């Protein structure tokens, strides 16, 4: 499944549910199917996303690390901070335009 983040300041952003939920949890938002990030919440969300360590692996990377020989190697895993980059850019643009970001609507 996917999450679709929307804002009137940017185009839509599609993200796999597991990655979106991990990022929403990191910024202190519920991973409910519907939600909103207001312009007032965006500076704190940006700080939280930028504080993600580069080596923190996503759920997908963690399962590859624990998987068998057929799994892709750990070195090919994409960390959560890199997965956050499109959302960071969306939040920056939405904050500059004073527009909210919503998902599930």
């Amino acid at each position: 499944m996917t999450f679709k983040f929307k804002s009137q300041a940017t185009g839509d952003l599609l993200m796999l549910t597991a990655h979106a939920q991990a990022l929403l949890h990191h910024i202190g938002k519920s991973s409910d199917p519907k939600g909103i990030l207001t312009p007032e919440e965006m500076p704190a969300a940006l700080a939280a996303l930028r504080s993600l360590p580069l080596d923190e692996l996503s759920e997908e990377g963690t399962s590859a690390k624990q998987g068998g020989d057929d799994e892709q190697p750990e070195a090919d895993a994409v960390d959560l901070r890199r997965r956050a980059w499109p959302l960071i850019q969306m939040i920056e643009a939405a904050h500059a335009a004073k527009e909210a970001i919503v998902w599930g609507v």
Side-chain angles (χ1 to χ4, degrees):
M1 300 265 328
T2 60
F3 261 57
K4 184 188 277 189
F5 294 98
K6 299 179 184 182
S7 176
Q8 291 189 355
T10 67
D12 294 348
L13 172 63
L14 293 174
M15 190 175 288
L16 291 175
T17 300
H19 303 142
Q21 288 175 335
L23 292 172
L24 288 171
H25 175 73
H26 194 74
I27 64 173
K29 297 298 279 185
S30 170
S31 60
D32 290 339
K34 293 183 179 181
I36 186 167
L37 182 65
T38 64
E40 294 78 22
E41 298 170 316
M42 291 178 186
L46 284 170
L49 293 174
R50 288 182 179 136
S51 73
L52 282 167
L54 281 173
D55 60 352
E56 182 177 332
L57 296 177
S58 66
E59 302 247 343
E60 179 181 33
T62 304
S63 66
K65 179 179 171 183
Q66 298 169 352
D69 293 334
D70 294 339
E71 300 288 335
Q72 77 185 79
E74 180 182 346
D76 290 344
V78 178
D79 61 56
L80 195 56
R81 184 173 180 182
R82 286 188 179 96
R83 292 192 189 279
W85 182 245
L87 185 58
I88 290 171
Q89 290 180 314
M90 181 181 218
I91 294 171
E92 288 173 342
H95 187 254
K98 296 185 181 10
E99 293 288 344
I101 296 174
V102 297
W103 54 94
V105 293

